[in-house]
Amino acid sequence: MNKIRASITSVGGYVPDFVLSNEVLETMVDTSDEWITSRTGIKERRILKGEGRGTSDMMIQAANEALRKRGISGSDIDLVIACTVTPDMMVASTAAKVAQLIGANQAASFDLQAACTGFIYGLVTASQFVETGKYSKVLLVGGDKMSSILDYTDRTTCVIFGDGAGAVILEPNTSGEGLQDSILKSDGIGRQYLHIKSGGSMYPSTQRSIDQREHFVHQDGQPVFKFAVTNMAQVSEDILKRNNLSGDDVDWLVPHQANKRIIDATANRMGLNESKVMVNIQRYGNTTNATLPLCLWDYEKQLKKGDKLVFAAFGGGFTWGSAYLIWAYDPN
Ligand code: UT7
């Protein structure tokens, strides 16, 4: 019997309506459209507005679109994996809420946290359940309401991130398409450069920690940039070598959208020209766990059955990784 692989059979996405442009940010912090565009490639990002609305609200929209396009309902889903660094609440599982509200009442569910590499870790984890035959329909969602953890007085972080969610459905495939290979990496040395200091078990929130703004994301951009450029490019090159691929064989690079300069460096290292690189950072900024599925969402109509895709990401922790996947369906 042919090997069972996990293939993506549908894609959904959601970004909030509210657009926060570089021009508006210029009125909030000491920055400029010129600086943001030249250093990151970002022109605008989306922000989820509304009291009591969280990451799950965006995930549910993305998930429902993926279900609708596949022609199935929530009750057909066996497992929901929600990749996020901004769960609706601590302790209560966001994945359980998504599963409940899409009608996946029989499904197992859990949250997965691997920072900006979460979607690749999620793709690999979901695939294990499919490849072993344990589950036949897995919903993988990646989403973040980054605006909930940003300090809009800190120009070094607030210009970079945005809100959004994306979802894919994974199903068994015995025709050769689906996930072929992956490389997952981590190095805890990175936590000093990108973290939220308070609100976890080391430093529970106190009035002092809030006054010190320690409940917001802190990033030392330059060291993160150096690690990201080196490691994202390395795992992308490694996965090509391991699978005897050259840049010419790859149809699409699906890179984490943290910085256009990091994306370009990765593509260069793989020998890819820019027409093969998915880029939407200019419209959404860095949506953390949503960047990769939102790329698929935006480019889905250009993907053809048999296309070879390489995913690559780098994020807090540090975590990073790459995945090689063969696309399983034609645009309709
Ligand atoms: O997705 C998770 C992983 N994260 C990443 O991969 C992010 C990696 N890092 C980066 O993308 C870049 O480091 C940033 C975009 C965050 C920053 O770009 P940079 O070219 O590394 O800038 P920098 O931090 O070296 O700062 C250069 C200058 C500084 O001023 P001085 O000290 O040279 O006078 C900053 O204060 O730019 C200043 N600066 C800004 N100026 C205008 C920092 N942020 C801003 C800003 N507007 N928003």
Side-chain angles (χ1 to χ4, degrees):
M1 198 184 115
N2 291 338
K3 180 176 163 45
I4 301 173
R5 298 181 191 278
S7 68
I8 294 176
T9 57
S10 187
V11 178
Y14 176 80
V15 289
D17 293 335
F18 185 89
V19 176
L20 177 58
S21 66
N22 290 351
E23 287 71 23
V24 173
L25 277 168
E26 284 177 357
T27 69
M28 296 163 62
V29 286
D30 180 16
T31 192
S32 64
D33 173 51
E34 197 283 325
W35 191 95
I36 301 171
T37 307
S38 62
R39 300 289 179 121
T40 71
I42 301 166
K43 299 298 284 184
E44 58 187 41
R45 66 290 290 143
R46 302 299 183 96
I47 305 294
L48 183 68
K49 297 279 187 184
E51 177 81 21
R53 299 186 75 201
T55 297
S56 69
D57 292 275
M58 299 185 290
M59 287 180 163
I60 289 164
Q61 301 261 6
N64 278 332
E65 189 191 44
L67 291 170
R68 193 170 58 247
K69 282 161 70 176
R70 182 71 182 98
I72 60 175
S73 66
S75 59
D76 296 314
I77 296 294
D78 304 308
L79 170 66
V80 175
I81 302 177
C83 310
T84 187
V85 299
T86 52
D88 281 10
M89 291 180 177
M90 298 308 290
V91 183
S93 160
T94 299
K97 182 176 173 188
V98 172
Q100 179 209 352
L101 294 178
I102 63 167
N105 296 318
Q106 303 303 315
S109 69
F110 61 88
D111 293 1
L112 186 152
Q113 211 280 39
C116 291
T117 319
F119 195 80
I120 293 183
Y121 271 79
L123 183 65
V124 175
T125 305
S127 295
Q128 312 294 312
F129 288 101
V130 173
E131 288 168 11
T132 56
K134 172 85 174 163
Y135 294 130
S136 62
K137 286 187 174 54
V138 180
L139 176 75
L140 174 65
V141 278
D144 275 299
K145 184 183 170 186
M146 293 304 292
S147 61
S148 68
I149 53 171
L150 290 177
D151 180 352
Y152 282 96
T153 66
D154 175 9
R155 69 176 181 172
T156 68
T157 52
C158 74
V159 304
I160 299 169
F161 296 97
D163 302 340
V168 299
I169 295 170
L170 289 150
E171 298 184 60
N173 180 304
T174 51
S175 314
E177 294 94 15
L179 185 67
Q180 309 291 311
D181 194 14
S182 61
I183 299 173
L184 301 177
K185 298 273 190 181
S186 70
D187 186 346
I189 194 176
R191 65 188 173 278
Q192 62 184 300
Y193 303 115
L194 178 50
H195 59 246
I196 297 176
K197 184 171 178 185
S198 294
S201 57
M202 274 174 80
Y203 303 107
S205 294
T206 60
Q207 189 58 53
R208 187 209 58 82
S209 72
I210 291 169
D211 292 343
Q212 301 288 321
R213 309 181 87 73
E214 290 173 359
H215 55 303
F216 292 125
V217 170
H218 164 85
Q219 175 171 257
D220 285 337
Q222 275 204 6
V224 179
F225 184 89
K226 282 182 194 147
F227 273 91
V229 164
T230 310
N231 290 306
M232 212 166 115
Q234 188 64 50
V235 281
S236 305
E237 190 184 340
D238 289 348
I239 206 152
L240 292 190
K241 278 196 187 138
R242 254 166 56 158
N243 291 279
N244 299 316
L245 299 170
S246 72
D248 290 344
D249 301 315
V250 174
D251 296 290
W252 293 100
L253 171 64
V254 193
H256 175 50
Q257 311 280 305
N259 189 315
K260 181 69 166 57
R261 290 181 288 148
I262 299 173
I263 296 171
D264 291 344
T266 304
N268 283 341
R269 182 85 164 266
M270 294 171 70
L272 291 183
N273 88 36
E274 62 181 6
S275 65
K276 291 181 166 186
V277 184
M278 296 190 186
V279 180
N280 56 17
I281 191 172
Q282 68 281 9
R283 288 187 292 138
Y284 308 141
N286 182 350
T287 54
T288 304
N289 281 279
T291 60
L292 301 182
L294 284 177
C295 279
L296 295 179
W297 187 54
D298 277 346
Y299 283 82
E300 187 188 16
K301 287 198 167 58
Q302 297 181 54
L303 295 172
K304 298 182 306 299
K305 185 174 177 174
D307 276 357
K308 296 184 171 70
L309 277 60
V310 172
F311 295 80
F314 184 91
F318 294 129
T319 60
W320 68 102
S322 60
Y324 164 39
L325 176 139
I326 299 182
W327 197 249
Y329 61 96
D330 286 319
N332 47 26

